[in-house]
Amino acid sequence: MSKPYKTLLCLDAETRWSSKPTLWREEPLTLSKMTTEAYIRDPLFKAFGFCIHEYGTDKATQWYRHDELPHIFSMYDWKTTAVLAHNAQFDVGILSMIYGIQPCFIFDSLSMARALRGVEVGNSLMKLAEVFGLPPKGRAVHSTDGLYELTPEIEHELAEYCKHDVFLCEEIFTRLLTGMHGGGKIHDAYPTKELRLIDMTIRMFTKPQLILDVPMLEKARDEENEKLRVALERTGVQESDLASNDKFAEILEKMGVLPPTKKKRPTLKTPNPVGENFAFAKNDAHFQQMLNGDDEDVALLCEARLRVKSTLERTRAQRFIDIASRGALPVPLAYYGAETGRWQAAKGSSINFQNMKRGSFLRKSIMAPDGYVIVVGDLSQIEPRVLAWIADYHNMLEIFRAGGDPYATFGSQMFNIPGLNKDTHPLLRQSAKSALLGCGYQLGWASFSAQLLVGFLGAPPKRYTKAEALQLGVTGEHVKRFINNKWHMEKMFEIARTCTDEELLIHCLAAKAIVEKYRAAAEPVVDFWKLLQERITRSLIEGEVYEHKGVFTMKKEEIVLVNGMSLKYPNIEICKDERGHTEFRFGTGDKKGKLYAGRICNNITQGLARIVMSDGMLRTAKRYDVLGTVHDEQLDLAPEEEAEEAKAWVHAQMIVEPKWMPGIPLNADVGYNKRYGLAK
């Protein structure tokens, strides 16, 4: 990449910490029990010192003490000085929140390692030193546990330890950046765009600009607490009784209700578990039956149980209030948090931006600073569009190009009803939407049936009735074939439900009809699955290289996407499923996952959709700060006086047709507001 900097500093901070209460602090001061934001902003935080080395030079690495740092940092022109660190969110967070420094660019070897090596393996400095055959990381930091100040001897030891960490960071970064190891080339050079995304992601945290509406949060927290108090008062039980599964079961038994149970799920360590667990989870069908049943006392008890267990809204509100007392809201996201490259909540952040419901008070409490608005852009149906393009599903691409209601138009084809729309056939339109969003990845009828009962992709729970099954085309012949199939009946009875066996049968037949109608209408997608299934053996196992439309290449144990990043499938094993059919599994250690065409299709689609989205974010960042991302959504900061112009400009950046995906019809929904939750 053309360097956006003149000087690159590799640095590492050593800070005051305590794993236990001390004379100078009643609570531990440690990242193992605090978020990065709370730790750095704590009144007793102190950087004992920094080690700094100018990357690419033979200059000695220098240790600078706490009292020297302000002067040393003032010597650099930060408009032309970049920073490299391992876990830059921490070290650059200190530069920003303590010293008011914003480097012109940020490199993070931890983020790079996560993307290249996978999210399930260790990527600590200690682990990577071992992987790359470097001198092991030291342990001097443990001698500073609980120290308010350092003795000269401990400081010297800590400085040498810190210098070695800088050495390790640079060596690891060089290998990750160039792809070169002592034994030769191990991967291609790290993509420039991905380096820019790392910088953008770290800056979402280290350059916080979002403001929190504390009165709104306090009101929401108090309302939730009041609802819980009333629920406990009406039921006459203690919060601890409802929090405990065993005590909750005892209360139900005293009310004459048999506590619902479910079979223990098999795991890799215990493939044939014995016994049952209580079915008290919110999405357990039997719990839903009690919650929505005719016994008002039981229903009230279950509602109180949910309020006790679902502390999410209360605790999130309090966390936001606590953050607001310390400053603006940093957005803690992990670049390449998922195997497909998508972002996830940063580990230990206690704030999951990917899990805030639309319309929630949490979203509404997040505000732009004075003089600015938050511009929110959301790519519309990006995954179905990408899947249609890579599978050459031209009919679906034409539906998207037409710009109408894709679910209704697809429903017309799926059910062979010309003119089907939301008003004339709401059930069929919703069924087509569920199929389009979920069935493109080889979703089976049993899984689809179970997900519908507890709410498919965030929708309300749905159980198909006999009348609806008839409308979906289910006939008596379908019923006979289903009942006479032993495996179908076994899979059906594994589904937790609150309905009768007959009602469950009707529901499963309806779900099966939707899946089958999707597959009949989406023949190119089904053909794409067949191609991928064949390529598991020929490419992922045997190593035959296969390139598909220039957007991904399948090799031994990996699929390289158009941006140069890989989907990894290590240690593939061939085994038999419960019916004696051949299946594939992959992974390391106990973390073995099933590998099949639908999963690969999902991974490729998500990976490519992420590239479309992130390319749009990078274009947007040339003009406006990108403050965060939630799934297919980006949050940008624009001056209030140019809000309309910013809305149009962000929309234009998001729907640019990728050169590597010609002809794909993209669209985005963009809006703006002072509050994130009201932007669109």
Side-chain angles (χ1 to χ4, degrees):
M1 62 186 278
S2 57
K3 293 183 179 180
Y5 57 89
K6 291 182 179 179
T7 304
L8 173 57
L9 302 180
C10 182
L11 51 78
D12 183 57
E14 299 301 337
T15 60
R16 177 186 287 157
W17 70 290
S18 174
S19 62
K20 299 176 182 178
T22 63
L23 292 175
W24 47 271
R25 197 175 193 277
E26 295 181 356
E27 299 292 333
L29 180 69
T30 171
L31 287 171
S32 65
K33 297 183 179 181
M34 301 171 69
T35 66
T36 301
E37 176 272 335
Y39 177 77
I40 294 175
R41 285 173 164 172
D42 191 274
L44 290 175
F45 172 87
K46 179 180 181 180
F48 285 136
F50 267 79
C51 271
I52 301 176
H53 179 250
E54 189 173 331
Y55 180 79
T57 73
D58 57 4
K59 296 178 181 178
T61 302
Q62 296 293 327
W63 164 263
Y64 298 104
R65 299 188 308 273
H66 173 77
D67 56 344
E68 299 175 301
L69 289 174
H71 172 67
I72 295 299
F73 288 148
S74 70
M75 295 172 61
Y76 293 98
D77 178 4
W78 293 102
K79 293 181 180 179
T80 61
T81 302
V83 165
L84 161 65
H86 194 78
N87 188 14
Q89 189 179 91
F90 176 70
D91 297 282
V92 181
I94 295 172
L95 288 183
S96 170
M97 299 177 194
I98 302 299
Y99 298 99
I101 293 169
Q102 294 294 335
C104 70
F105 200 85
I106 304 168
F107 293 95
D108 180 30
S109 50
L110 174 61
S111 294
M112 296 168 69
R114 186 187 296 122
L116 290 177
R117 289 173 30 81
V119 297
E120 298 295 339
V121 299
N123 290 301
S124 67
L125 209 59
M126 179 182 294
K127 179 65 176 179
L128 292 172
E130 178 185 335
V131 168
F132 288 115
L134 298 168
K137 178 178 168 63
R139 298 181 57 83
V141 69
H142 296 284
S143 64
T144 65
D145 185 1
L147 295 183
Y148 191 77
E149 298 294 349
L150 303 180
T151 65
E153 294 78 14
I154 290 179
E155 182 181 344
H156 175 74
E157 182 184 1
L158 187 64
E160 293 304 309
Y161 163 86
C162 189
K163 289 177 183 179
H164 184 59
D165 276 2
V166 167
F167 164 77
L168 291 177
C169 179
E170 287 193 356
E171 291 295 317
I172 291 166
F173 171 70
T174 300
R175 287 159 171 75
L176 297 174
L177 183 67
T178 63
M180 298 301 293
H181 189 199
K185 189 167 185 174
I186 54 176
H187 59 77
D188 292 334
Y190 207 88
T192 298
K193 284 185 178 180
E194 294 299 313
L195 293 172
R196 291 172 59 198
L197 288 173
I198 292 173
D199 169 76
M200 177 189 294
T201 304
I202 301 297
R203 210 172 291 277
M204 292 173 187
F205 181 85
T206 61
K207 187 182 177 182
Q209 301 182 72
L210 293 168
I211 307 301
L212 292 167
D213 185 339
V214 174
M216 174 184 283
L217 290 165
E218 289 176 336
K219 180 181 178 182
R221 177 202 59 192
D222 294 344
E223 287 177 352
E224 288 297 319
N225 285 333
E226 178 63 14
K227 289 176 183 178
L228 175 60
R229 186 195 66 77
V230 170
L232 292 174
E233 187 177 276
R234 292 177 65 187
T235 55
V237 296
Q238 300 297 314
E239 184 172 348
S240 58
D241 294 333
L242 294 178
S244 165
N245 285 346
D246 291 335
K247 291 182 179 180
F248 183 60
E250 290 177 9
I251 295 172
L252 288 174
E253 289 175 346
K254 290 178 181 179
M255 299 176 70
V257 177
L258 182 65
T261 59
K262 57 187 176 183
K263 291 182 179 179
K264 290 184 177 180
R265 291 186 176 182
T267 65
L268 293 170
K269 292 184 178 180
T270 55
N272 299 301
V274 178
E276 296 181 325
N277 290 325
F278 288 117
F280 292 159
K282 179 180 180 180
N283 289 336
D284 284 330
H286 293 298
F287 183 82
Q288 285 289 325
Q289 184 178 36
M290 294 190 299
L291 180 66
N292 299 296
D294 295 330
D295 191 323
E296 292 184 5
D297 291 335
V298 173
L300 185 62
L301 187 72
C302 290
E303 182 180 343
R305 156 85 177 189
L306 284 181
R307 292 201 177 279
V308 169
K309 299 296 286 186
S310 301
T311 59
L312 188 61
E313 297 302 308
R314 286 182 291 148
T315 55
R316 275 184 166 182
Q318 188 59 55
R319 285 173 188 155
F320 275 30
I321 292 168
D322 293 342
I323 291 171
S325 70
R326 297 186 287 264
L329 172 67
V331 178
L333 292 177
Y335 160 86
Y336 238 93
E339 60 183 340
T340 58
R342 287 189 174 272
W343 285 265
Q344 287 188 346
K347 185 178 179 180
S349 64
S350 297
I351 300 174
N352 188 352
F353 258 69
Q354 310 298 303
N355 191 27
M356 285 192 292
K357 294 181 180 179
R358 294 183 186 275
S360 68
F361 72 86
L362 289 170
R363 285 199 181 203
K364 293 175 183 176
S365 73
I366 298 173
M367 302 175 62
D370 288 344
Y372 290 86
V373 294
I374 301 173
V375 182
V376 179
D378 190 3
L379 281 170
S380 304
Q381 304 103 11
I382 182 59
E383 288 189 20
R385 293 169 192 262
V386 169
L387 177 56
W389 191 92
I390 58 177
D392 289 323
Y393 188 4
H394 298 295
N395 286 346
M396 180 56 63
L397 292 174
E398 288 303 320
I399 289 175
F400 286 122
R401 288 192 186 102
D405 182 343
Y407 307 127
T409 307
F410 178 57
S412 296
Q413 297 181 4
M414 186 172 162
F415 297 107
N416 195 26
I417 301 177
L420 180 150
N421 60 57
K422 189 175 184 178
D423 296 324
T424 61
H425 298 83
L427 169 73
L428 299 185
R429 190 259 184 194
Q430 181 60 40
S431 298
K433 178 179 180 179
S434 297
L436 187 60
L437 295 179
C439 296
Y441 306 128
Q442 233 175 349
L443 180 69
W445 64 264
S447 178
F448 187 38
S449 299
Q451 291 182 52
L452 284 167
L453 289 175
V454 296
F456 184 67
L457 295 178
K462 172 64 182 176
R463 177 175 61 79
Y464 284 103
T465 65
K466 185 174 182 179
E468 291 170 335
L470 290 172
Q471 192 177 1
L472 289 165
V474 176
T475 66
E477 186 60 33
H478 291 113
V479 177
K480 290 179 183 178
R481 287 202 299 267
F482 190 97
I483 292 176
N484 291 331
N485 188 309
K486 181 181 178 181
W487 184 79
H488 281 174
M489 295 300 290
E490 289 177 354
K491 297 300 290 184
M492 184 188 81
F493 284 118
E494 289 177 1
I495 299 173
R497 76 281 189 184
T498 61
C499 54
T500 65
D501 291 349
E502 181 181 353
E503 289 171 333
L504 178 62
L505 173 63
I506 291 169
H507 173 71
C508 287
L509 285 164
K512 190 171 184 291
I514 292 172
V515 171
E516 290 174 348
K517 287 181 182 297
Y518 169 83
R519 294 182 179 184
E523 187 176 349
V525 175
V526 176
D527 289 340
F528 185 57
W529 297 341
K530 294 176 182 176
L531 181 149
L532 293 176
Q533 191 68 32
E534 176 189 354
R535 282 292 152 190
I536 292 177
T537 300
R538 295 180 61 179
S539 295
L540 297 180
I541 295 177
E542 297 176 355
E544 180 179 301
V545 177
Y546 169 76
E547 182 178 325
H548 188 84
K549 299 184 71 173
V551 296
F552 68 85
T553 302
M554 302 184 74
K555 302 178 179 180
K556 186 174 180 63
E557 296 191 341
E558 70 172 333
I559 299 175
V560 183
L561 301 180
V562 66
N563 64 343
M565 308 303 286
S566 294
L567 304 170
K568 300 183 183 300
Y569 305 97
N571 308 314
I572 301 175
E573 299 175 352
I574 304 175
C575 45
K576 299 291 183 181
D577 66 11
E578 57 191 7
R579 292 191 290 173
H581 297 164
T582 298
E583 71 173 11
F584 304 93
R585 291 190 173 273
F586 76 102
T588 56
D590 294 332
K591 298 178 180 179
K592 293 283 187 180
K594 186 176 179 181
L595 183 63
Y596 59 100
R599 178 171 188 159
I600 297 171
C601 179
N602 188 342
N603 290 167
I604 292 172
T605 302
Q606 279 199 20
L608 294 175
R610 179 266 195 188
I611 300 171
V612 174
M613 180 184 71
S614 60
D615 280 356
M617 291 168 63
L618 289 174
R619 286 188 292 268
T620 300
K622 293 178 181 179
R623 182 169 175 179
Y624 301 112
D625 284 349
V626 179
L627 305 180
T629 176
V630 180
H631 304 300
D632 302 321
E633 190 175 77
Q634 60 170 291
L635 287 68
D636 311 309
L637 190 66
E640 202 164 7
E641 64 270 15
E642 58 182 81
E644 280 294 331
E645 181 183 350
K647 174 184 174 181
W649 195 82
V650 169
H651 183 271
Q653 307 318 304
M654 295 186 72
I655 65 170
V656 171
E657 179 184 295
K659 293 180 180 179
W660 45 272
M661 195 172 273
I664 185 172
L666 299 178
N667 199 6
D669 180 18
V670 183
Y672 63 86
N673 197 280
K674 290 290 293 184
R675 297 181 183 273
Y676 168 39
L678 299 178
K680 65 177 191 64

